Amino acid sequence: EIVLTQSPVTLSLSPGERATLSCRASQSVSNSLAWYQHKPGQAPRLLIYDASNRATGIPARFSGSGSGTDFTLTISSLEPEDFAVYYCQQRNTWPRLTFGGGTKVEIK
Amino acid sequence: EVQLVESGGGLIQPGGSLRLSCAASGFTVSSHYMTWVRQAPGKGLEWVSAIYSATRTSYSDSVKGRFTISRDHSKNTLYLQMNNLTAEDTAGYHCATLTATGVGDSWGQGTLVIVSS
């Protein structure tokens, strides 16, 4: 089973700051990695697929990079609505999927 | 517009059974890959099950043999039959559409299942 480890667990930042979130896979997943945003009581939202492709309607301040085992989600300048929990998910073992443990981006 | 609305959650005793529903609109459930994902209190997202092609299904090790995913074309609804529930199954359950390569592109808000005596 592929394990995804996200770091840090919590990121405390102010609006306007840059957020850099990491996702590390226990073995290579090629570029088969997605990122989601999740707010309490809401539906998760797809941000990035195939490591670096923004989903429809996602603002350009969100970007993804990486391949193999190391991936990064960057939010270039945090907006108030960006404070949430972010998850990475690998599909390299489709039809079995795996999520990372999540990174909470909170207001400093 | 794609919309997914989950229902069927509630309080259930250990060992009991529950069936979750995910009513879809804006697309046809039977022609899409679909998945269930859960989130236990204070924990992260956990993939549960997926249905793909006409009849093929997959399950996480933690639910295999106890949960069954299915869909009803006439009701345009996805289901998750959950049997022999334990406290570890307590979670909010979300349904989602999947691309053909396993990316969750539309999600519902979830329904809460609490397994407790």
Side-chain angles (χ1 to χ4, degrees):
Chain A
E1 178 187 339
I2 295 177
V3 176
L4 299 177
T5 302
Q6 292 189 240
S7 61
V9 173
T10 304
L11 196 52
S12 299
L13 295 168
S14 300
E17 289 193 295
R18 182 184 188 88
T20 303
L21 289 67
S22 173
C23 177
R24 176 162 290 179
S26 59
Q27 62 191 79
S28 177
V29 298
S30 185
N31 70 333
S32 302
L33 193 102
W35 290 93
Y36 302 88
Q37 178 192 69
H38 192 202
K39 298 179 182 179
Q42 296 188 20
R45 177 190 182 197
L46 174 65
L47 301 174
I48 301 287
Y49 65 94
D50 293 349
S52 60
N53 296 293
R54 269 191 304 277
T56 303
I58 301 302
R61 63 181 181 273
F62 291 93
S63 64
S65 63
S67 66
T69 60
D70 290 296
F71 300 87
T72 301
L73 174 70
T74 302
I75 310 171
S76 59
S77 177
L78 283 164
E79 296 288 339
E81 62 269 26
D82 298 336
F83 292 93
V85 181
Y86 292 83
Y87 294 94
C88 57
Q89 174 239 318
Q90 68 83 21
R91 60 171 184 80
N92 200 56
T93 54
W94 169 253
R96 296 171 65 87
L97 306 173
T98 311
F99 287 90
T103 291
K104 181 180 181 180
V105 178
E106 65 176 23
I107 299 176
K108 187 173 180 180
Chain B
E1 179 192 3
V2 170
Q3 192 169 11
L4 297 166
V5 179
E6 301 92 338
S7 62
L11 176 63
I12 187 78
Q13 291 192 338
S17 297
L18 211 55
R19 189 178 77 161
L20 304 183
S21 300
C22 170
S25 58
F27 73 102
T28 303
V29 163
S30 59
S31 62
H32 267 71
Y33 293 9
M34 302 287 297
T35 191
W36 287 97
V37 172
R38 68 185 180 184
Q39 183 178 29
K43 303 292 185 181
L45 298 177
E46 178 191 11
W47 174 73
V48 173
S49 180
I51 186 164
Y52 58 104
S53 74
T55 56
R56 300 186 72 176
T57 59
S58 63
Y59 300 91
S60 67
D61 290 343
S62 60
V63 308
K64 195 169 187 177
R66 299 188 299 122
F67 289 14
T68 302
I69 189 172
S70 64
R71 50 192 173 189
D72 186 325
H73 175 76
S74 65
K75 295 183 179 179
N76 208 31
T77 298
L78 177 74
Y79 299 102
L80 186 67
Q81 176 67 43
M82 305 186 296
N83 298 331
N84 194 21
L85 287 161
T86 72
E88 287 66 44
D89 298 315
T90 294
Y93 285 74
H94 299 272
C95 63
T97 58
L98 287 172
T99 65
T101 53
V103 176
D105 50 358
S106 294
W107 294 71
Q109 288 190 302
T111 186
L112 182 60
V113 173
I114 300 173
V115 184
S116 175
S117 55

